[in-house]
Amino acid sequence: MKRIKKIAKRFVSGLLILVILLVVLISMRQNLKFEAPYPDVRASSDSNVINRGRHIVFSQAHCADCHSKQNADSLLELGIEPALSGGRLFDVGIAKIYTPNLTSDSVYGLGRRTDGEIARVIRYGVHANGNAVLNFMGFANMSDDDLTAVVSYLRTQKPVHEPVPSPEYSMMGKTVKAFLIKPVGPSHAVEKHIKPDSSIAYGEYIVTSTTNCAGCHTKRDLSGKFTGPLMAGGNNVEGLISPNLTPDSSSRIFGWSEQTFIERMRLGKINPASPMPWNSFKRMTDLELKAIYRYLKSIPAAKTPAVDE
Ligand code: HEC
Ligand code: HEC
């Protein structure tokens, strides 16, 4: 009996030491630094470049839907461009993340970042301080020209002198951060220039690199890796299931003409609970919407994978 007690005691103290070691290791790994190059991107003061950037920010890349207050969507619906002062809360279960202030404020905003630091965090997912950013954005493959346009527009934002709360991680969140979160960079060599036209190639670029249609309309695992057929839907996004947009007969857009598709995209949000940034996307040009439609018609037809609840 004594022997068993002794063994049990040893076991418990051994376990305790292990837990303490793990907690120490986790806390030591909360500030991991990653290396990534600074893209050769410099803000331009050319008004064409700035206007292009503004268009990408408020339509395709829907930066305002995330980097603004919760009411950004209703302002966008009224045609107002909200300040990119951040502060929207994403409660992802293991962490509460508030989006950063992207205005030119030099204390709380991007006024304190270089062009290279801004471009690097968008392309390589590495913060100015070397930490990995959570993979919310999906713009790693954005062309040099488009990234330059975005940074150029961001530099023209009036400063909003407002702090944003720091992220809060649960113990589980800290464990995930310590061992699993890594920066996500481009999946292939990034193009310098991409000509905007109504081609399938430009549609593919928009869908996969500047709008994140693919990120929501393709089933993914927790780390963000695609596990279902491209654009076949089945993703649970904030409680709503993204529909299939492939040419399959079960697709939501099966039988839609180009005109029907463009009209639907322009209509904006119908289901008020939809997480899709409709009021940004409806600002896309006809050319961009045509390119998306043509690309969606060109990809392999696939059935929607089973949905995880
Ligand atoms: C789906 C939501 C979402 C969209 C869309 C989005 N962002 Fe972000 N962004 C975030 C979140 C969340 C963070 C903070 C992530 C972290 O710190 O782990 C962030 C971080 C950043 C940072 C780092 C800021 C800093 O303090 O260094 C920059 C720069 C940035 N975003 C720019 C943009 C731009 C420009 C766009 C549009 C082209 C954009 N984001 C679109 C959610 C989004
Ligand atoms: C943040 C996630 C998200 C993003 C990004 C997103 N979608 Fe969606 N989409 C959804 C969800 C969820 C639904 C179902 C709810 C709804 O209809 O609004 C949906 C519905 C749709 C529908 C069906 C509408 C209808 O009336 O039946 C179309 C078409 C569509 N998306 C196209 C696109 C295109 C094109 C893009 C990129 C430009 C895109 N989506 C980006 C989540 C997203």
Side-chain angles (χ1 to χ4, degrees):
M1 197 58 190
K2 253 190 183 167
R3 239 179 86 95
I4 296 179
K5 256 192 186 167
K6 219 172 166 183
I7 292 174
K9 242 187 183 169
R10 270 206 199 138
F11 179 72
V12 170
S13 50
L15 202 67
L16 204 68
I17 291 173
L18 263 181
V19 169
I20 292 172
L21 279 178
L22 189 67
V23 170
V24 171
L25 189 64
I26 289 171
S27 69
M28 276 168 57
R29 291 177 65 90
Q30 289 308 294
N31 193 20
L32 292 182
K33 306 283 185 200
F34 296 89
E35 298 282 334
Y38 292 97
D40 186 19
V41 160
R42 237 155 296 156
S44 156
S45 53
D46 180 327
S47 61
N48 288 328
V49 177
I50 292 171
N51 283 336
R52 168 92 183 133
R54 172 190 222 132
H55 174 68
I56 297 171
V57 164
F58 289 107
S59 65
Q60 296 180 12
H62 57 282
C63 314
D65 286 274
C66 293
H67 287 277
S68 197
K69 297 281 166 353
Q70 311 286 1
N71 70 344
D73 192 62
S74 34
L75 293 177
L76 286 162
E77 191 167 14
L78 298 171
I80 300 167
E81 292 172 357
L84 302 175
S85 53
R88 175 172 169 189
L89 167 66
F90 282 95
D91 190 343
V92 289
I94 55 169
K96 290 190 169 70
I97 310 286
Y98 298 86
T99 53
N101 180 334
L102 303 185
T103 72
S104 53
D105 188 76
S106 56
V107 179
Y108 302 122
L110 294 181
R112 63 199 155 137
R113 309 269 190 247
T114 63
D115 294 344
E117 285 169 345
I118 302 172
R120 184 173 81 154
V121 76
I122 296 173
R123 179 163 296 165
Y124 294 105
V126 176
H127 265 302
N129 68 4
N131 291 167
V133 290
L134 297 175
N135 186 19
F136 273 92
M137 298 190 271
F139 305 132
N141 292 320
M142 194 180 267
S143 73
D144 282 357
D145 280 358
D146 283 353
L147 196 51
T148 301
V150 166
V151 174
S152 306
Y153 170 70
L154 291 177
R155 290 302 195 200
T156 68
Q157 281 257 307
K158 287 201 190 69
V160 175
H161 191 61
E162 261 175 37
V164 163
S166 307
E168 297 161 31
Y169 286 85
S170 66
M171 197 56 211
M172 185 63 195
K174 285 189 178 150
T175 313
V176 171
K177 191 176 173 204
F179 301 109
L180 297 176
I181 294 175
K182 295 203 173 62
V184 177
S187 60
H188 52 77
V190 175
E191 311 269 356
K192 274 195 168 342
H193 325 279
I194 291 183
K195 193 167 151 267
D197 56 20
S198 58
S199 67
I200 291 176
Y202 189 58
E204 173 173 20
Y205 169 68
I206 303 180
V207 166
T208 59
S209 309
T210 68
T211 55
N212 214 13
C213 312
C216 281
H217 284 275
T218 307
K219 193 168 171 185
R220 300 200 278 177
D221 64 16
L222 276 178
S223 75
K225 217 176 90 206
F226 288 164
T227 55
L230 188 68
M231 299 306 286
N235 221 5
N236 186 339
V237 198
E238 297 171 37
L240 279 182
I241 308 305
S242 60
N244 188 327
L245 302 180
T246 73
D248 192 70
S249 61
S250 66
S251 165
R252 180 67 61 82
I253 62 169
F254 184 73
W256 289 21
S257 67
E258 188 170 279
Q259 200 48 36
T260 310
F261 177 77
I262 294 176
E263 280 166 15
R264 173 65 193 93
M265 293 302 290
R266 283 275 151 68
L267 208 54
K269 194 168 286 190
I270 296 178
N271 178 351
S274 177
M276 179 166 148
W278 283 104
N279 292 317
S280 291
F281 289 156
K282 73 179 181 194
R283 295 167 155 240
M284 279 194 269
T285 63
D286 277 359
L287 198 92
E288 290 163 344
L289 293 173
K290 269 186 190 158
I292 294 178
Y293 178 83
R294 289 176 188 174
Y295 169 67
L296 292 175
K297 288 286 152 193
S298 78
I299 60 179
K303 297 277 174 232
T304 314
V307 174
D308 303 328
E309 290 310 328

